[in-house]
Amino acid sequence: MAGETVDSVEMLRRLVAFDTTSRNSNLALIDYVRDYLKGHGVESKLVPSEDGKKANLFATVGPMVKDGVVLSGHTDVVPVDGQPWDTDPWTLTLKDGKYHARGTCDMKAFYAIALAMLPQFLKAGLKKPIHFALSYDEEVGCIGAHSLAAAMAREVPRPRAIIIGEPTMMTVVHAHKGAQMYVTKFTGFEAHSSMTHLGVSAIHFAGEFVHWLNTVQDELDAAAPKNSEFMPPAATFNVGTIVGGTAGNILARECEVLWGYRELPDRPLTALGERAQAWLKDVLLPKMKAKHPAAQIDTVVRSSTIGFSPDGNEEAKALAANWSGSNTVGSVVYGTEAGIFKQTLGVPTVVCGPGDIAQAHQPNEFILASQITACEGFMKRMMEWCAR
């Protein structure tokens, strides 16, 4: 692989061929990128997960000095299970100006383009460095980004800007909501369904909790700021899954609820979760125990994604707008690793990358060929800025 030169489409073809669904290891992809970089004389560092089955990677192209640019992307993708794909999701397929495969949009194209342009970066005579930052497990709660950002804060001279390459159609995003997810397990007491006075249905009380979340949502909607740049403007709850029960004629002993919310970036991320847990403990649990003392409610945090505030991002916004040629600066309601990198490194940050978020996680996911071209233009102008 020494000195190998490939174009953006070929690099994307290679990267999407790695099935990096979050439940799998990403090490094959990381090893490929590390070897590709090394073939061009660029050393990289790995930040492994605790179990060693996954790893982050970061590398620096150009001088190891301050005021560089971080190009950040996640290596994992969401599952294709049960989705009606018309093509092989792990094989890049061009149809009508669209490149189809899992991860084309979300978000392997961004760093595929950057990696393909590595030979150009090396020849440009960079005076300010370009840092690659690839993480694991973004799709299940931005897990890898914490250790990656911390390692870079220790070892990389302070950058001028961080670019999170999530799909924005190459427009500049300066803010997004934070996200918090929990698993709450309701434990009741089994009894025959005709003898409800003898038992506690975990499912029934889980239903009361879901109803309470809906009433809080109504409260949040009524108090939502009128001039919010987010849509929806308020924090939003979601119940993702409810699993419980054994048969139609038995009061359910257990029920597990996966729930969470997305909160505005200027508000404490954990406050709504703490309020919900207080209600479970002080209101709902006593009702359950009044029916049977064995009843219990236990809640654990599943994942946490820091909100991304617009404050302090002006320089990154100006640079990214110039490199992208976009006059649009806005916010989104989906989560990214932007808040983690910004908070840990203390550097102006934006989200800007190729592709449409509407394609993310969808069957027949695709990225427009024109978006690859647009991102190549972004990288070229960024490279020229780093060479001045």
Side-chain angles (χ1 to χ4, degrees):
M1 195 186 295
E4 186 179 23
T5 300
V6 298
D7 63 20
S8 299
V9 172
E10 173 60 19
M11 182 59 73
L12 181 59
R13 182 189 69 78
R14 296 181 184 188
L15 295 183
V16 299
F18 294 102
D19 179 358
T20 52
T21 304
S22 301
R23 62 181 173 235
N24 300 335
S25 172
N26 73 334
L27 290 181
L29 183 149
I30 289 293
D31 288 343
Y32 170 79
V33 173
R34 181 182 57 185
D35 290 345
Y36 173 82
L37 291 169
K38 188 173 183 179
H40 287 278
V42 177
E43 294 298 324
S44 55
K45 294 189 176 182
L46 302 189
V47 184
S49 61
E50 290 185 3
D51 62 8
K53 295 180 180 179
K54 301 180 181 183
N56 304 302
L57 175 150
F58 68 99
T60 297
V61 183
M64 187 63 80
V65 297
K66 67 177 183 176
D67 293 337
V69 180
V70 175
L71 303 177
S72 170
H74 62 81
T75 60
D76 62 319
V77 296
V78 298
V80 300
D81 306 26
Q83 292 187 334
W85 283 74
D86 297 324
T87 61
D88 180 356
W90 312 113
T91 301
L92 192 67
T93 304
L94 176 62
K95 295 172 61 177
D96 301 322
K98 303 171 182 177
Y99 286 100
H100 295 266
R102 174 59 87 222
T104 50
C105 171
D106 186 16
M107 56 164 295
K108 292 179 177 179
F110 178 73
Y111 53 91
I113 294 164
L115 289 167
M117 293 185 68
L118 177 61
Q120 297 180 50
F121 294 166
L122 291 169
K123 293 177 182 177
L126 301 179
K127 295 182 173 61
K128 294 181 283 289
I130 297 171
H131 307 284
F132 289 86
L134 304 185
S135 66
Y136 66 85
D137 281 359
E138 187 273 348
E139 296 290 4
V140 291
C142 297
I143 294 170
H146 294 277
S147 59
L148 174 59
M152 294 184 72
R154 291 190 302 268
E155 301 187 35
V156 173
R158 188 178 190 276
R160 182 79 66 87
I162 300 171
I163 313 296
I164 308 294
E166 293 276 10
T168 67
M169 294 295 285
M170 297 309 301
T171 62
V172 179
V173 167
H174 69 155
H176 64 63
K177 292 181 177 180
Q180 193 87 341
M181 188 171 292
Y182 299 85
V183 177
T184 297
K185 182 178 180 180
F186 296 83
T187 303
F189 191 80
E190 289 174 322
H192 194 280
S193 61
S194 65
M195 306 291 285
T196 56
H197 64 292
L198 298 180
V200 183
S201 170
I203 291 177
H204 283 215
F205 281 95
E208 287 199 34
F209 176 54
V210 174
H211 174 71
W212 181 83
L213 292 178
N214 287 334
T215 63
V216 175
Q217 184 68 70
D218 291 341
E219 171 193 317
L220 295 170
D221 291 341
K226 304 301 180 185
N227 59 345
S228 174
E229 62 179 304
F230 296 100
M231 181 53 66
T236 53
F237 281 100
N238 179 61
V239 176
T241 62
I242 300 177
V243 179
T246 54
N249 61 351
I250 304 174
L251 297 186
R253 182 179 183 276
E254 294 183 348
C255 183
E256 193 169 88
V257 179
L258 176 62
W259 63 279
Y261 54 86
R262 295 181 184 270
E263 179 59 282
L264 300 173
D266 60 348
R267 297 182 181 176
L269 180 59
T270 60
L272 288 173
E274 290 165 357
R275 179 181 172 185
Q277 291 182 78
W279 184 85
L280 289 168
K281 176 184 176 183
D282 299 337
V283 178
L284 195 60
L285 183 57
K287 290 177 63 177
M288 293 178 68
K289 284 187 172 295
K291 293 179 69 69
H292 198 284
Q296 189 59 46
I297 302 175
D298 298 290
T299 299
V300 296
V301 177
R302 171 76 174 270
S303 64
S304 182
T305 302
I306 300 171
F308 177 39
S309 167
D311 299 334
N313 293 324
E314 286 72 18
E315 186 169 17
K317 285 192 293 184
L319 289 171
N322 182 52
W323 300 335
S324 68
S326 171
N327 294 321
T328 301
V329 176
S331 61
V332 293
V333 293
Y334 57 85
T336 75
E337 297 170 332
I340 297 169
F341 275 91
K342 180 182 176 183
Q343 183 180 88
T344 306
L345 276 74
V347 173
T349 302
V350 293
V351 183
C352 184
D356 186 345
I357 192 63
Q359 290 304 316
H361 305 183
Q362 297 295 311
N364 301 315
E365 178 184 346
F366 68 81
I367 189 169
L368 292 169
S370 59
Q371 280 289 290
I372 293 177
T373 301
C375 189
E376 289 173 335
F378 177 100
M379 296 289 180
K380 182 174 184 295
R381 288 183 284 272
M382 177 200 68
M383 175 185 69
E384 292 169 348
W385 179 85
C386 289
R388 292 204 297 268

